[in-house]
Amino acid sequence: MKVADKAIERLELPLDLTKLPTQTAFMSDHEYRFRAYGGGYANGKTSAGCVLAVLLSHFIPDNRGFVGRFDGKELRQSTMAEFFKICPPQMIDKRNDQQGLLRFKPQYGGSEILYGDLKENMVGPNLGWFWIDQAEEVEEERWQALVGRLRKQTPLLQTNGEPIRDAVGTMVYAPTYGLATFNPEGRSHWLWRFFHPDSPERKPDYRLYEAKTYDGLAAGFVSKDYVDGMLAVFPPEAVKRYLEGSWDVFEGRIYPSFAVETHVLDHIPIKPHWKVYESIDHGIQNPTAVGWYAVDECGNVYLIDEHYEGGGKPVAYHAQIIKAKRASLGHPITVTYLDAHCWAKDQVNGPHVYSIADEYQSNGIYPIPGQKDKKAGISRVLEHLVIDANRRHPVTGVDGSPRLFVASHCTHFINEMLGYRWKKARGLVQRNEPDMPMDLNDHHMDALSYFLLTRPQQPVLDISPKLTPLEMWAKSRKSYNPLADVQQTAGTWMSV
């Protein structure tokens, strides 16, 4: 059926779409194929997703979209309940909640919307768009599977029903879109990695929008009483996450005591007597992470530099960078640690069988095996992160200090510390709290563990006064006894 035959009617939604600029920008941005809108509670993200679902179905006739959330019950009771408040009922031709199917009337585009849970990968027809609500609950695999389903070719039509063609006569198809709305869940989550502008893994054609609960308050989405009620009962960490939309506060974080304002220093002057260690977590496609750690006479540990790069680079490449970093530090390396698995003879080149450790040695890097015990390593890191009220801060001189500090330019390490998390239990079965970390973006975390599990020795500071040659001569004169220097000669038996 042609667009002209459908007599597309004017769409009116029961919302003011201009109250919050961030929300408006998310809904009106058609430049980016993949868009995400996150932040605090009540910032209008779910409403924005509902509006986009209606618009993409109405203005692109015969389109097909999917609305999903991890749990189907929460999808129906929350996301789709909001959708049906926003979508004018006169637009709907067919609705089947059991099948998760919604069809618009022909005069409103005739498009379809499928909806359901995301406990398994979505299977079915090709899509023109999809939207995941509360996307922080969903695994990366589900997002990738939906991206793979964006294959529906929906021709764009003129008002007379004829397809739009470009200058060379090729039919023009509607763009496809992937949308996500969420509450932040840490820097290791795929949402941060794919969308955040500070992420080294940010993908092209991905755009992030964020707003706080306070922005929703200013826009009139919620009342001041609503916000004051949360402030009255939420602990500080919950306020940061659920009202301010912080990426660094979330459930399941392994190192919640790590804070940029406490553990990160802009300048770390290395003293000549400090010991400097090197710790390597080798990766092939995953990043190779190298940390240079200095230890002072008080047992404080400082990450003073890092190397972090993946993409299948050979050992020789990393060894060259390690040597260059050593030269720039200008300080001898006490010990180099390397993942113990790197001593396995699993590399083959013709008749030669060798290990990753052999490759490092052949390139002038001579490591020793690092201990690999994740639980013990996490315990050691936590001991260094805790603030000891009786410990003097090495920079401020104020009592109350941790033992682990990080140079501010070591951003890969900082991001891993802030995003390192426990495995999350899924499903309806009741389980004990998980006690193993996620095997994701943990390369610096492993290298730190190798280093701290060795219990590195702190240097002994020589506090004896340094004397000039003249002062040394004067000191020796004061203690000089000329009689003590007279050589005793043998006497008679009477002088004995």
Side-chain angles (χ1 to χ4, degrees):
M1 185 179 295
K2 297 181 180 180
V3 173
D5 296 331
K6 293 179 179 178
I8 298 296
E9 296 189 6
R10 179 179 175 83
L11 174 64
E12 294 184 4
L13 299 178
L15 286 176
D16 183 349
L17 306 180
T18 63
K19 287 185 175 182
L20 182 54
T22 305
Q23 183 195 53
T24 304
F26 170 72
M27 292 186 293
S28 59
D29 182 0
H30 301 292
E31 178 183 354
Y32 288 86
R33 188 182 181 205
F34 301 103
R35 308 196 297 277
Y37 183 22
Y41 283 165
N43 68 352
K45 52 186 176 289
T46 299
S47 298
C50 292
V51 169
L52 278 170
V54 174
L55 296 179
L56 291 170
S57 301
H58 176 69
F59 288 110
I60 303 178
D62 296 320
N63 207 351
R64 182 184 298 116
F66 173 77
V67 179
R69 186 169 172 173
F70 176 76
D71 185 73
K73 181 178 180 181
E74 292 175 341
L75 173 75
R76 293 188 299 273
Q77 293 182 349
S78 178
T79 308
M80 294 309 296
E82 179 72 9
F83 174 87
F84 289 117
K85 287 180 183 178
I86 291 175
C87 180
Q90 66 270 20
M91 297 180 65
I92 299 173
D93 183 38
K94 179 181 178 181
R95 172 183 171 181
N96 188 320
D97 289 335
Q98 187 173 2
Q99 294 181 355
L101 173 64
L102 174 71
R103 182 174 293 116
F104 284 67
K105 293 178 179 178
Q107 61 267 36
Y108 290 103
S111 298
E112 288 183 344
I113 296 179
L114 311 175
Y115 49 97
D117 68 63
L118 285 169
K119 294 179 180 178
E120 302 292 339
N121 284 338
M122 184 266 184
V123 294
N126 294 332
L127 302 173
W129 61 269
F130 69 82
W131 165 40
I132 302 178
D133 192 26
Q134 299 303 135
E136 76 277 4
E137 302 171 345
V138 175
E139 297 175 357
E140 176 183 337
E141 179 187 356
R142 305 292 184 263
W143 171 269
Q144 301 285 32
L146 286 170
V147 170
R149 302 221 64 82
L150 291 177
R151 300 195 297 266
K152 187 177 188 304
Q153 293 185 318
T154 307
L156 290 177
L157 306 179
Q158 304 178 60
T159 55
N160 62 3
E162 294 298 321
I164 298 175
R165 299 182 182 275
D166 61 19
V168 296
T170 303
M171 189 179 297
V172 178
Y173 295 100
T176 57
Y177 295 102
L179 309 169
T181 49
F182 65 96
N183 293 113
E185 187 78 3
R187 302 190 186 203
S188 66
H189 198 279
W190 60 267
L191 283 163
W192 192 89
R193 289 166 31 231
F194 290 1
F195 285 96
H196 202 282
D198 293 339
S199 168
E201 299 179 54
R202 182 186 179 186
K203 294 181 176 292
D205 214 13
Y206 277 60
R207 180 67 181 268
L208 175 65
Y209 293 89
E210 296 181 276
K212 301 178 181 180
T213 300
Y214 308 112
D215 298 319
L217 173 63
F221 296 163
V222 292
S223 67
K224 187 174 183 301
D225 289 342
Y226 170 84
V227 177
D228 289 343
M230 288 193 291
L231 291 173
V233 299
F234 279 13
E237 297 299 300
V239 170
K240 288 182 180 179
R241 182 186 183 193
Y242 294 115
L243 275 75
E244 299 175 7
S246 172
W247 287 93
D248 301 333
V249 181
F250 55 92
E251 295 176 4
R253 188 176 166 200
I254 294 178
Y255 298 132
S257 54
F258 178 83
V260 172
E261 58 271 19
T262 302
H263 298 91
V264 176
L265 302 176
D266 289 330
H267 180 58
I268 302 176
I270 308 173
K271 305 293 179 61
H273 65 279
W274 288 6
K275 291 180 179 291
V276 176
Y277 297 82
E278 204 170 57
S279 191
I280 307 170
D281 184 67
H282 182 78
I284 301 175
Q285 289 302 323
N286 288 326
T288 289
V290 187
W292 284 267
Y293 296 91
V295 181
D296 69 13
E297 64 278 1
C298 298
N300 295 310
V301 174
Y302 308 83
L303 176 67
I304 55 178
D305 209 347
E306 70 172 357
H307 166 58
Y308 193 91
E309 190 171 355
K313 301 291 194 305
V315 169
Y317 173 85
H318 298 296
Q320 184 178 7
I321 291 178
I322 290 171
K323 292 176 183 177
K325 290 278 191 180
R326 289 177 175 180
S328 67
L329 290 174
H331 202 292
I333 302 299
T334 303
V335 180
T336 299
Y337 300 101
L338 177 66
D339 181 357
H341 291 166
C342 291
W343 268 261
K345 300 284 186 179
D346 55 5
Q347 307 295 305
V348 179
N349 185 4
H352 304 289
V353 179
Y354 54 93
S355 68
I356 296 292
D358 293 333
E359 286 194 81
Y360 274 101
Q361 292 170 4
S362 66
N363 282 278
I365 307 295
Y366 301 97
I368 66 172
Q371 297 182 45
K372 193 152 188 174
D373 185 330
K374 283 191 178 288
K375 292 183 181 179
I378 289 170
S379 178
R380 287 287 292 158
V381 175
L382 288 170
E383 291 173 7
H384 281 72
L385 290 175
V386 69
I387 296 177
D388 183 347
N390 299 316
R391 190 177 189 83
R392 180 161 295 182
H393 195 284
V395 175
T396 65
V398 177
D399 287 341
S401 174
R403 284 192 290 162
L404 178 63
F405 300 93
V406 182
S408 58
H409 68 272
C410 297
T411 55
H412 295 286
F413 180 94
I414 294 170
N415 288 336
E416 282 198 13
M417 284 290 286
L418 292 170
Y420 199 34
R421 62 187 302 159
W422 299 108
K423 286 182 179 178
K424 183 179 291 187
R426 287 295 192 189
L428 301 178
V429 179
Q430 295 294 322
R431 307 178 189 179
N432 294 327
E433 285 295 315
D435 58 0
M436 288 302 293
M438 289 183 66
D439 189 17
L440 179 69
N441 293 330
D442 58 354
H443 318 294
H444 263 311
M445 300 300 94
D446 286 344
L448 174 62
S449 177
Y450 307 153
F451 166 63
L452 288 181
L453 281 173
T454 64
R455 298 183 178 270
Q457 293 183 346
Q458 60 196 59
V460 176
L461 179 61
D462 183 6
I463 59 174
S464 60
K466 304 300 181 183
L467 303 178
T468 65
L470 184 60
E471 290 171 331
M472 293 175 64
W473 178 77
K475 182 179 179 182
S476 66
R477 272 187 65 84
K478 289 180 180 179
S479 60
Y480 176 62
N481 182 359
L483 294 179
D485 290 342
V486 175
Q487 186 174 359
Q488 298 291 326
T489 58
T492 65
W493 64 271
M494 296 180 63
S495 62
V496 174

